Each structure stands twice: as structure tokens, then as C-alpha cells.
Amino acid sequence: MLFVLGVLCFAAFANGQTQCGGNLVQPSGDVFSPGYPNEYGANLDCMWTIPARGGSVTVEFKEFMIEDPESFLFFTQCNFDYVEIIVGDRSRGYYCGTDMPPAITATQDVHIHFVTDELISGPGFQFSYSVIHGLAGGGPCGSHLQDSYGVVTSPGYPNSYQSDADCTWTIHGSGHTISLTFTDFALEDGGFFSGCPYDFVEIYDGRTKIGTYCGTDMPPRLYTDNDVRIKFQSDGSVEEQGFRFEYSIDLPVTTATTAKPVETTTKPDGSGEGSGEDLSEDSFLF
């Protein structure tokens, strides 16, 4: 019987993470406090960071039970064990006891900060997260790409691009490594002529032209510390499906600065209320 329970327990958490903090780079996952569902340890200071990378981050807590807050008459404060939610570099609230943090959605990096003291502990918490990336270029004819991750398509993709297009996308890495990968590519080919005299894509690594591409000649993957330019031109006839590429900039994950826990007041029903800031679910849409 104990063996069966152990197998079930292992299966339940096989796809989740239970370590004390870390950078969550997968597109989605489940995270558990250390030791969950058993009691977490003393004197923990864990920070989980979910990089947005140009997308939309969603975090939702499923279970939450840590040490209760300290009470002062009509006020409560998370002075012992607490979870702090940080979006970008702004704290969005402190939570303790069974005061479940609300679901949040943000386009900035999200940090989950978990701190415990040396005394009372509890089962801890579980949260799920996901990062969704839209089309960074959205199909327009060229742009400056400044997000740390994006997906770009030629105008009209996956339908045909227009004639006489002249588009340039520029990726600024500011000295950080840029990765560029084409995942689909179909332009008018050069026919009997050498080179790409009709429709083409040119790729520049800094000031150096890497190559000119047309037809179904997929550009190679590129890694560079220079800025990257992708130039697309089409002539007045014969339009094809176009192309799709993904890019990423290897930016360092910044550590958010945390603030002192804020005072909370107790409502007649016993639930906590923040320091005047709206912490409802709708207030976390950025």
C-alpha cells in the first residue's frame, strides 16, 4: 500500500518543480513549494522568475496554506512566512495564511518570492504558469524589434504577400546574443537567372550581408552579438506565401527589488485587504 502511494505521489509531481526558486524558461508548468504537500522548511528565501520574453505571462495559484499573519487589533501583517508577487519591478502584494493570491496576467517578467522564518510552517502552495507569444511583427511591413522574443511574418502571411513590397525588420541586441531562425520560407524563385532578381530576403549581421535568399532556399540559423537586419523586397508580379521567422535576445534575468511587507486590514468576514491598492484579478492585466 505504501509503495502504491509513493508511486502515485511521484507521478503527481513528476511534471512539476519543487526546488527553492529558479528561472522558469519552459512555456508552461506547475511549481510547488519545497516539500509540498509536506511542510516546507525554515528560513527559506526562494524566488521563481517567469520571463515574459515579449509574450504574456499568466500565473494562477491552485493551493495555498502557509503560516498565518500577525494580528494587531483590526490589522494583519505578513511578518512571518509570506509570498510576494512582483510584476516587473513593482510589488503587487504579500500573501500568507490561506489568503490565496489572485490570478494574474502581465506582459512583464513575473517573480514569485517566498520567504519563511524559523518557526511555524505549513503545507505550502502550488501554482501553474504559462507564457503565450503572439506575432511580434503581426504581419506589418517592417519594424524595430525590441522585445526579447518574437515571431514575425511577411505581410499577409500565410496568404500571399503584396507586390512592390520593401520591408526591413531590425533586431537590436545591445551587445547580447541574438538568435534568428526561419521556420517557413516561400518566395518567387529566380527562374533561369542566377541570384534572386525578383523577390528576395537579405540578412545582415551588423554591416555584413550574410546572404540573399529566394524561392524555397531557407536562410540558415543565425547567432550573433551584432544587430540584425532582415530586408524583404518583392517586384510587381508573382506573389508567394512569404515567410515566418522567430528571434530571441539572450538578456540576463534581472532580480527584482523587494520591499517591506505592507500592512493589511481585516474585513468583518476575516479576509485581508491590501494597503489601498486594487489587488483584484482585473487589476493585474497589464
Side-chain angles (χ1 to χ4, degrees):
M1 182 64 178
L2 291 177
F3 175 77
V4 173
L5 290 175
V7 171
L8 293 175
C9 183
F10 174 79
F13 300 105
N15 295 322
Q17 300 191 34
T18 60
Q19 65 266 31
C20 181
N23 293 329
L24 306 176
V25 297
Q26 298 300 319
S28 63
D30 293 291
V31 177
F32 306 89
S33 54
Y36 185 90
N38 299 317
E39 293 187 349
Y40 50 80
N43 300 314
L44 296 177
D45 190 347
C46 312
M47 178 80 82
W48 291 271
T49 297
I50 309 168
R53 295 185 178 274
S56 176
V57 177
T58 297
V59 176
E60 183 177 3
F61 279 78
K62 306 292 187 181
E63 301 288 342
F64 195 86
M65 185 178 295
I66 62 178
E67 184 178 2
D68 289 328
E70 187 174 9
S71 298
F72 305 94
L73 297 177
F74 297 103
F75 300 93
T76 61
Q77 190 169 358
C78 295
N79 283 339
F80 306 128
D81 302 348
Y82 63 85
V83 166
E84 181 186 14
I85 309 296
I86 306 163
V87 177
D89 58 358
R90 294 182 57 194
S91 176
R92 298 301 177 182
Y94 294 78
Y95 303 88
C96 53
T98 56
D99 181 20
M100 181 93 72
I104 63 172
T105 298
T107 56
Q108 302 178 69
D109 293 354
V110 175
H111 312 271
I112 311 298
H113 190 203
F114 178 42
V115 175
T116 70
D117 63 10
E118 70 279 5
L119 298 175
I120 302 171
S121 61
F125 55 82
Q126 172 195 356
F127 68 83
S128 61
Y129 74 92
S130 63
V131 183
I132 299 175
H133 296 286
L135 295 180
C141 184
S143 64
H144 292 281
L145 305 173
Q146 298 177 337
D147 290 328
S148 59
Y149 175 87
V151 179
V152 177
T153 62
S154 53
Y157 181 91
N159 298 317
S160 299
Y161 51 80
Q162 69 267 32
S163 299
D164 300 313
D166 188 353
C167 316
T168 300
W169 291 268
T170 303
I171 308 171
H172 298 285
S174 301
H176 301 290
T177 301
I178 296 173
S179 171
L180 174 69
T181 305
F182 278 78
T183 58
D184 198 7
F185 195 86
L187 305 185
E188 181 183 6
D189 61 33
F192 295 102
F193 299 96
S194 61
C196 298
Y198 306 127
D199 304 347
F200 61 85
V201 163
E202 290 179 340
I203 299 177
Y204 291 84
D205 179 354
R207 296 183 178 182
T208 302
K209 184 168 75 171
I210 299 300
T212 302
Y213 307 91
C214 57
T216 56
D217 181 19
M218 184 90 73
R221 181 174 295 180
L222 174 65
Y223 295 97
T224 179
D225 294 334
N226 300 315
D227 289 350
V228 174
R229 285 189 298 126
I230 300 94
K231 182 177 178 63
F232 168 53
Q233 284 191 347
S234 63
D235 63 6
S237 63
V238 185
E239 298 82 24
E240 299 289 349
Q241 180 175 324
F243 54 85
R244 177 185 185 274
F245 67 80
E246 301 178 5
Y247 75 92
S248 65
I249 304 173
D250 188 17
L251 296 176
V253 177
T254 57
T255 301
T257 302
T258 61
K260 183 180 180 180
V262 294
E263 246 185 23
T264 59
T265 59
T266 302
K267 298 179 181 178
D269 61 359
S271 60
E273 180 175 287
S275 58
E277 192 175 7
D278 181 11
L279 298 178
S280 64
E281 180 173 346
D282 290 340
S283 70
F284 287 93
L285 299 176
F286 299 95

